[in-house]
Amino acid sequence: MLYQKFDDLKESFGENFFTSRVSEEIIQNLNPRFELREYQKEALGRFDFYFNGYQKKQYPVHLLFNMATGSGKTLIIAANILALYKLGYRIFIYFVHRNNILEKTRDNFLNPLSTKYLFSEKVIFNGKEVKIREIKNLSDVVEDDINIMFTTINALHERINKPKENALTEEDFEGKEVVLIADEAHHYQAYTKLKDKKGQQLIWDTDILELKQIKGLSEEEKEELRAWEKTIQEKILPKRNKNGESKNILLEYTATIDLNHPAIKEKYENKIIFKYDLVRFREEGYSKEIEVVESDIRNPMERALQAVVLSQYRRKIAEKNGLPLKPVILFKSKTIEESKRNELDFRKLIDNLTVYDLVKISQSVFQSIAEAFQYFKENDIPLENLVEELKNDFAPEKCLAVNSKQDSEEKQILVNSLEDPNNEIRAIFAVDMLNEGWDVLNLFDIVRLYETRDSRNNKPGKTTIAEAQLIGRGMRYWPFALNSEQDKYKRKFDKDISNPLRILEQLHYHCSYQPQYVSEIKKALVDIGAMEKQRREVEIKVKEEFKNTYFWKEGFIFLNELTKVDKTEFKSLEDFSVPCRHVYPLSTYFTHEEAILSNELDLKQDVPSYRATLKIKDLPENIVRFALDKNKFYYFDNLKRFIPGLRTIKDFYQNDNWLGGIEIEFVGKETDIEMIRRKDVKIFPALLGALITVLNKISQGMIKGNKQFRGSKKFYAEEIKKKLRDKIITFDFYSSKINSASEKMRIGEKKWYAQNEFWGTGLELDFLKQFDNDYYQRLQAEYDDIILIRNEQFWAIYNFEDGQAFYPDFVLFLRKKNNQKIEIKQIFIEPKDDIYIKNEPWKQELIQTLEQVAMIEWETPEYKILSLPFYNARLKYEFEEMLKAKLLKNKS
């Protein structure tokens, strides 16, 4: 598979082989609200490599991105459009299979006032603003802009094959280069599986057009199939440009692809460029975790009330922590008529709600409901007040029914903007209109208001699978962070599930108590990667024996603090780590070949190498001002965000500490270099081109070097007993990555280990065994007290350069008395495989520099922070040699 070939490249050339290729110009032209995640950067880097480095690229290009629901496919589409614009493409046809998805996406691409608008306020390429423009026909194309046609696949097919006045014709595509964008593309892949009435696999080029042969397709699906095969694949994609070349591109995006089906696997063998499925998305912490709540409450409205109470509890937990959350509930019915009845019943429930109704719900054995009522009690929220709150928060105008394709535009706007601060909708009633294309982050509860099931032979039926896919849509994580060290896009409490804020990372699926159905829905969720086969919770306790030791009673751990960077400290571009010299090759009209994996200019010996170097402050001022005006980064108000002390834009481009001191080395023909030296007006276009290029690089460097935080070099004492505590952690019981030292080496019985259990990686377990079998005996001969503590995110140290938080896996404390003097050593220990060290080299650098950099102001006892290398099979010898050198007098 293509994505596997690219995986091999990544393994061979390093973790950042693809992510480093992402152009800062692309990032700057996306909405800054949407910070690119690492996997998104990898997707974009692969796309760039395919077009600018991959030797087996084939035209017309046909690629597929297989990315989990909620992973940001639409942002990837927007970034790919920008990348293709840079390659000269101007016409983009975006199509889906349903109108409701189309309207939402059109808003995301075209409406700058939308909270989900994908592009920056101004899209700038080469200093020139580029408009994002909707077109209805190819005659509407504006050559310098991004022109997007939004349509359904059936509408596109009909326009081309049933000509009308001002229609789109097949001939319109002749002589053009077009990008076709197929969103929710799994609908079209499904046709690859089609069989004829005799059960034989259809052959695409012949049988597929004989639609009468095909079993089980509706007329709408048959039309969609014709559109995909005839219009997209045969009529548009192969069309040639003005040079007679077939340069069109088809890009597919989907969360679902059945690679177990031989026909699909064969068809997409060389087309899947990036695979980031729901399993990986969830395991890397970017989703909510699912809790299936089965209740023996037969009355569906009582089940609904349980969800309402839980939703309000969630809102209060968020508010208590300063988080502006408005959680939403989806009430799902089997039919439209049932949905209407359920909406009326819910209205009666809320309008006539009493304290007695809440008391009945409080008797639930569901733990989160018990915690909710305990919270209400502890925070002096009388049930009478809660009743009034619920009546207000779930008033008629705050509930919405979405049951029909013909729902009003106003409803569509409301249901697709649920996270907006001015959107007060708390409850949605639906059947299946939201099963696809619904992007919502603040959905936390789904209530199944019916009890039927459609399984056969103990396998999930079509309805159950659709329900699982809907739950998958609700897994989108609601981003939040309590402090600057937390990643707001990732779960934070997998290793602290008793934390009340854990409820902000969970999606609850409420259903009636039907053991068979619950088993089926869980299997369906496991099958799509939304849930582990079995999740285990383990309580890690601080051992009572440890609580009797010196380290618990009197011990300290030394940690640094996260400090905000004072921007007034930035006195020059060097403070942003921006290079002060740049090389700009002028056009020589010589040709050269460039190695496919090289980023360096390969100048042949026969290319002239005349050179001249000028500082920006010595270039004609009108050219400098013109180049600055072309880049919105250099607008004065924006520059002040980076350099608060900047007085004028002139100071910025004339001062040697800023642009004035930047040198540009021009390389080119002798005549051009002579004109550069003379600043001949004929060479001004080249000077402007050089300036625009260099200014773009400098802006990228300033953005990258604009550190918001740093880790302090001073380390402060914290009492160990105030930081270390009992904690419940959760993990996939069947994960091969999780190992138990409790079972394999009786870790709880080890005198040197502070906690009762250990669950972690195989490498961490290997370190513990090595510590028990070797290191402990050696240390015991020289130290009075030895304690190793597993850091279940109890304490972080912060990178000195940019303040990134690092939670070392273990902390080793050593104590000894020497002639009435007490000496204590603190060592952070991190077992980590090489592949992860490559990915985050700053962590090893931080650990290794602690000994030289960390400052401790402490007199007695004497504390020292020592550094050891990371631990793994390759580094084991170095680790042991350093351990002997720094911790042992007897080196043998």
Side-chain angles (χ1 to χ4, degrees):
M1 303 295 282
L2 179 62
Y3 75 88
Q4 291 170 326
K5 292 177 184 176
F6 280 28
D7 288 347
D8 292 341
L9 280 172
K10 178 180 170 182
E11 188 172 334
S12 299
F13 292 97
E15 195 72 17
N16 66 346
F17 177 68
F18 293 115
T19 56
S20 64
R21 298 184 68 95
V22 182
S23 163
E24 196 66 36
E25 191 173 25
I26 300 295
I27 295 173
Q28 285 187 42
N29 281 315
L30 293 170
N31 191 328
R33 290 187 60 200
F34 305 127
E35 183 181 342
L36 284 174
R37 305 169 190 175
E38 284 304 303
Y39 66 84
Q40 291 171 326
K41 290 178 183 177
E42 180 169 336
L44 299 181
R46 287 177 178 229
F47 191 70
D48 176 83
F49 177 72
Y50 184 88
F51 283 97
N52 298 305
Y54 187 51
Q55 292 174 320
K56 296 183 179 180
K57 175 180 63 193
Q58 294 179 336
Y59 281 102
V61 171
H62 184 177
L63 298 174
L64 180 141
F65 288 81
N66 175 207
M67 297 179 66
T69 297
S71 61
K73 291 192 301 294
T74 313
L75 187 63
I76 296 299
I77 292 173
N80 286 346
I81 287 173
L82 294 173
L84 291 173
Y85 180 87
K86 287 184 70 176
L87 293 178
Y89 288 87
R90 300 293 183 265
I91 305 169
F92 302 86
I93 299 179
Y94 173 96
F95 61 92
V96 287
H97 72 294
R98 285 170 66 168
N99 260 317
N100 65 319
I101 301 173
L102 189 66
E103 293 308 315
K104 173 208 71 170
T105 308
R106 178 186 276 118
D107 201 51
N108 295 346
F109 276 87
L110 300 174
N111 180 10
L113 299 180
S114 168
T115 56
K116 296 182 180 179
Y117 183 61
L118 295 162
F119 301 102
S120 62
E121 184 181 350
K122 287 185 178 181
V123 174
I124 305 288
F125 282 106
N126 296 323
K128 184 176 180 181
E129 184 176 356
V130 175
K131 300 288 187 183
I132 310 296
R133 185 183 300 277
E134 182 177 13
I135 58 171
K136 300 297 182 183
N137 286 292
L138 298 190
S139 58
D140 300 335
V141 169
V142 176
E143 186 55 38
D144 290 335
D145 289 338
I146 292 172
N147 306 271
I148 309 177
M149 182 184 296
F150 296 92
T151 181
T152 63
I153 187 169
N154 285 349
L156 181 63
H157 175 69
E158 186 167 329
R159 288 187 67 192
I160 290 179
N161 292 282
K162 297 178 182 179
K164 299 177 183 178
E165 189 177 355
N166 296 322
L168 191 64
T169 67
E170 186 177 347
E171 289 71 28
D172 289 340
F173 292 91
E174 294 286 358
K176 296 181 176 63
E177 295 180 353
V178 177
V179 180
L180 297 157
I181 298 169
D183 202 359
E184 303 288 353
H186 53 277
H187 290 279
Y188 319 126
Q189 297 155 21
Y191 298 130
T192 307
K193 303 179 185 180
L194 289 174
K195 297 181 179 180
D196 64 21
K197 292 180 180 179
K198 296 179 182 178
Q200 298 297 312
Q201 184 74 42
L202 288 168
I203 301 170
W204 280 99
D205 293 337
T206 56
D207 297 336
I208 202 66
L209 303 182
E210 299 298 325
L211 294 178
K212 292 180 181 179
Q213 296 181 38
I214 301 171
K215 296 169 62 178
L217 282 187
S218 67
E219 285 305 315
E220 183 181 11
E221 288 171 324
K222 288 179 182 179
E223 196 64 20
E224 199 170 83
L225 173 54
R226 287 190 188 97
W228 178 248
E229 283 303 308
K230 291 294 292 180
T231 302
I232 301 299
Q233 301 271 25
E234 293 183 19
K235 291 189 175 182
I236 301 178
L237 192 58
K239 286 289 184 285
R240 298 180 180 276
N241 63 15
K242 293 177 181 177
N243 298 322
E245 300 171 311
S246 182
K247 286 293 186 78
N248 290 338
I249 297 172
L250 172 58
L251 303 177
E252 296 186 52
Y253 302 83
T254 181
T256 310
I257 184 166
D258 183 7
L259 293 177
N260 292 319
H261 193 284
I264 289 183
K265 184 175 182 180
E266 181 182 357
K267 183 176 181 182
Y268 286 92
E269 178 78 27
N270 292 311
K271 296 179 175 65
I272 304 175
I273 188 170
F274 186 55
K275 184 173 176 60
Y276 189 78
D277 58 20
L278 191 54
V279 173
R280 192 169 157 200
F281 185 60
R282 175 179 50 76
E283 286 181 347
E284 293 185 1
Y286 288 108
S287 72
K288 301 186 187 92
E289 288 284 21
I290 298 168
E291 294 289 329
V292 177
V293 182
E294 44 186 316
S295 170
D296 60 2
I297 301 173
R298 285 297 172 187
N299 183 342
M301 285 303 109
E302 289 187 12
R303 200 154 65 240
L305 181 57
Q306 184 171 263
V308 166
V309 169
L310 192 61
S311 182
Q312 202 68 0
Y313 169 54
R314 209 176 249 114
R315 184 170 201 168
K316 290 186 176 300
I317 288 291
E319 286 173 349
K320 186 174 182 179
N321 289 274
L323 302 171
L325 171 64
K326 181 213 63 179
V328 172
I329 307 171
L330 173 63
F331 294 105
K332 189 169 185 343
S333 302
K334 183 75 173 171
T335 67
I336 291 177
E337 287 305 313
E338 284 182 17
S339 184
K340 290 177 179 177
R341 286 199 300 271
N342 286 326
E343 186 180 6
L344 289 173
D345 290 344
F346 182 78
R347 188 73 276 127
K348 291 175 186 175
L349 169 72
I350 296 299
D351 290 346
N352 300 302
L353 191 63
T354 66
V355 169
Y356 175 69
D357 295 325
L358 295 182
V359 171
K360 279 172 62 181
I361 293 298
S362 71
Q363 308 305 313
S364 170
V365 295
F366 176 35
Q367 183 181 348
S368 292
I369 287 291
E371 290 172 356
F373 281 98
Q374 184 66 27
Y375 177 88
F376 300 146
K377 182 179 179 181
E378 290 175 356
N379 288 271
D380 299 321
I381 302 172
L383 294 186
E384 291 83 0
N385 291 9
L386 185 61
V387 166
E388 294 307 313
E389 266 189 42
L390 296 178
K391 285 183 177 182
N392 178 64
D393 278 19
F394 291 88
E397 66 274 13
K398 297 175 184 176
C399 300
L400 186 69
V402 186
N403 289 317
S404 168
K405 293 180 182 178
Q406 282 70 49
D407 277 327
S408 68
E409 184 179 341
E410 183 183 359
K411 277 191 178 182
Q412 289 295 332
I413 292 171
L414 283 172
V415 83
N416 286 308
S417 60
L418 289 169
E419 301 107 7
D420 289 5
N422 58 350
N423 185 320
E424 295 189 341
I425 298 297
R426 290 291 302 275
I428 304 284
F429 292 84
V431 178
D432 61 5
M433 280 302 296
L434 302 177
N435 285 8
E436 279 192 337
W438 187 34
D439 301 324
V440 59
L441 304 176
N442 55 338
L443 175 65
F444 286 92
D445 294 274
I446 300 175
V447 186
R448 188 179 192 257
L449 294 173
Y450 51 96
E451 299 184 9
T452 56
R453 43 186 285 269
D454 64 349
S455 67
R456 290 183 180 179
N457 302 320
N458 295 318
K459 291 183 179 180
K462 186 176 180 181
T463 301
T464 306
I465 292 171
E467 289 165 349
Q469 290 169 342
L470 173 64
I471 294 168
R473 300 202 76 81
M475 288 176 67
R476 286 174 167 86
Y477 189 77
W478 185 73
F480 71 94
L482 302 176
N483 53 56
S484 56
E485 74 183 61
Q486 292 181 338
D487 184 338
K488 69 177 182 177
Y489 297 109
K490 282 189 172 185
R491 293 192 305 273
K492 299 148 189 69
F493 304 107
D494 285 0
K495 292 190 173 184
D496 189 12
I497 64 173
S498 59
N499 193 308
L501 284 158
R502 170 76 171 165
I503 201 165
L504 304 187
E505 302 185 336
Q506 293 173 311
L507 170 70
H508 288 93
Y509 181 67
H510 305 258
C511 60
S512 64
Y513 179 68
Q514 292 177 287
Q516 283 183 301
Y517 170 74
V518 170
S519 173
E520 291 156 9
I521 190 66
K522 285 186 176 180
K523 183 181 185 310
L525 289 167
V526 170
D527 288 345
I528 67 170
M531 181 182 276
E532 301 95 337
K533 192 171 181 180
Q534 182 179 336
R535 191 151 195 84
R536 181 164 180 177
E537 294 180 4
V538 174
E539 186 172 16
I540 308 293
K541 292 185 175 182
V542 180
K543 292 193 307 195
E544 291 302 318
E545 301 94 306
F546 174 60
K547 291 181 179 179
N548 293 321
T549 67
Y550 168 86
F551 285 113
W552 179 263
K553 293 178 178 178
E554 300 180 47
F556 293 90
I557 181 170
F558 283 83
L559 305 167
N560 67 341
E561 292 182 341
L562 191 66
T563 60
K564 194 165 180 62
V565 171
D566 182 357
K567 292 294 179 63
T568 60
E569 295 177 6
F570 284 62
K571 303 294 185 183
S572 70
L573 286 177
E574 286 186 6
D575 294 328
F576 290 92
S577 302
V578 171
C580 61
R581 188 178 181 86
H582 299 264
V583 177
Y584 185 78
L586 299 167
S587 297
T588 62
Y589 304 101
F590 279 72
T591 60
H592 71 276
E593 292 182 1
E594 191 173 334
I596 199 69
L597 296 178
S598 172
N599 287 321
E600 295 183 7
L601 188 66
D602 178 23
L603 290 173
K604 298 289 184 182
Q605 291 183 355
D606 55 354
V607 176
S609 57
Y610 296 95
R611 299 169 184 266
T613 300
L614 295 177
K615 287 187 175 182
I616 287 181
K617 70 176 182 180
D618 296 327
L619 295 175
E621 187 172 4
N622 61 325
I623 293 180
V624 175
R625 290 300 297 255
F626 188 79
L628 287 169
D629 290 342
K630 286 285 186 181
N631 192 329
K632 62 184 178 181
F633 177 84
Y634 296 104
Y635 294 175
F636 186 70
D637 287 347
N638 186 62
L639 277 177
K640 288 280 286 185
R641 290 172 47 225
F642 292 80
I643 315 168
L646 188 65
R647 291 178 296 176
T648 66
I649 196 73
K650 192 167 187 175
D651 283 344
F652 181 67
Y653 67 76
Q654 289 194 341
N655 191 312
D656 276 342
N657 289 331
W658 302 110
L659 280 188
I662 295 293
E663 294 181 342
I664 303 176
E665 183 181 4
F666 295 89
V667 181
K669 295 185 297 184
E670 183 178 12
T671 53
D672 290 342
I673 294 301
E674 279 303 315
M675 284 194 288
I676 289 284
R677 291 192 178 109
R678 296 196 310 269
K679 300 173 194 173
D680 192 308
V681 293
K682 294 177 183 177
I683 205 70
F684 278 15
L687 293 179
L688 179 61
L691 265 174
I692 288 173
T693 300
V694 170
L695 288 175
N696 187 48
K697 288 181 179 179
I698 291 171
S699 66
Q700 293 172 19
M702 289 183 69
I703 291 169
K704 189 175 180 181
N706 184 35
K707 311 301 184 190
Q708 302 293 321
F709 297 94
R710 292 194 183 113
S712 68
K713 294 182 178 178
K714 185 174 180 180
F715 279 60
Y716 301 87
E718 299 266 9
E719 289 183 68
I720 291 175
K721 63 185 175 185
K722 287 188 177 178
K723 303 285 285 187
L724 184 62
R725 58 186 172 83
D726 297 345
K727 203 170 192 181
I728 299 173
I729 64 170
T730 178
F731 53 86
D732 180 0
F733 183 70
Y734 288 96
S735 172
S736 59
K737 299 177 182 178
I738 301 296
N739 295 267
S740 170
S742 310
E743 297 172 359
K744 297 183 180 179
M745 59 180 289
R746 297 179 181 273
I747 192 74
E749 298 176 12
K750 305 299 179 183
K751 181 181 177 182
W752 48 265
Y753 195 67
Q755 291 125 308
N756 69 324
E757 291 212 41
F758 165 85
W759 292 83
T761 67
L763 183 60
E764 291 165 350
L765 179 59
D766 179 71
F767 165 73
L768 289 177
K769 288 178 178 177
Q770 192 68 25
F771 189 90
D772 188 42
N773 296 332
D774 184 5
Y775 309 151
Y776 177 64
Q777 281 75 17
R778 298 195 203 185
L779 294 169
Q780 199 176 24
E782 299 193 26
Y783 294 92
D784 300 308
D785 293 298
I786 302 167
I787 282 293
L788 185 72
I789 300 175
R790 166 70 160 176
N791 180 19
E792 298 287 359
Q793 294 193 341
F794 298 120
W795 36 64
I797 51 176
Y798 301 99
N799 192 17
F800 301 130
E801 293 299 318
D802 58 13
Q804 288 190 76
F806 173 34
Y807 294 84
D809 289 324
F810 300 97
V811 187
L812 175 64
F813 292 97
L814 306 172
R815 173 177 176 266
K816 67 179 177 182
K817 293 181 180 177
N818 186 11
N819 297 326
Q820 304 300 316
K821 181 182 177 183
I822 298 175
E823 182 181 293
I824 295 175
K825 295 175 181 177
Q826 171 185 313
I827 307 101
F828 293 109
I829 296 174
E830 177 77 4
K832 191 177 282 293
D833 285 315
D834 280 335
I835 188 169
Y836 300 111
I837 296 176
K838 274 186 190 177
N839 197 25
E840 298 180 302
W842 65 270
K843 289 184 176 180
Q844 178 160 257
E845 185 179 337
L846 175 61
I847 284 280
Q848 291 181 328
T849 56
L850 284 178
E851 192 171 333
Q852 292 77 36
V853 176
M855 297 183 291
I856 296 176
E857 294 180 6
W858 200 262
E859 293 183 3
T860 181
E862 180 183 336
Y863 275 88
K864 289 182 180 178
I865 297 177
L866 300 179
S867 300
L868 289 177
F870 279 11
Y871 177 92
N872 63 31
R874 182 180 63 83
L875 296 171
K876 186 175 180 181
Y877 177 77
E878 182 184 348
F879 178 91
E880 291 179 347
E881 290 300 303
M882 293 292 283
L883 184 145
K884 286 190 290 185
K886 295 187 177 186
L887 303 181
L888 300 173
K889 287 183 179 178
N890 182 1
K891 311 298 182 186
S892 60

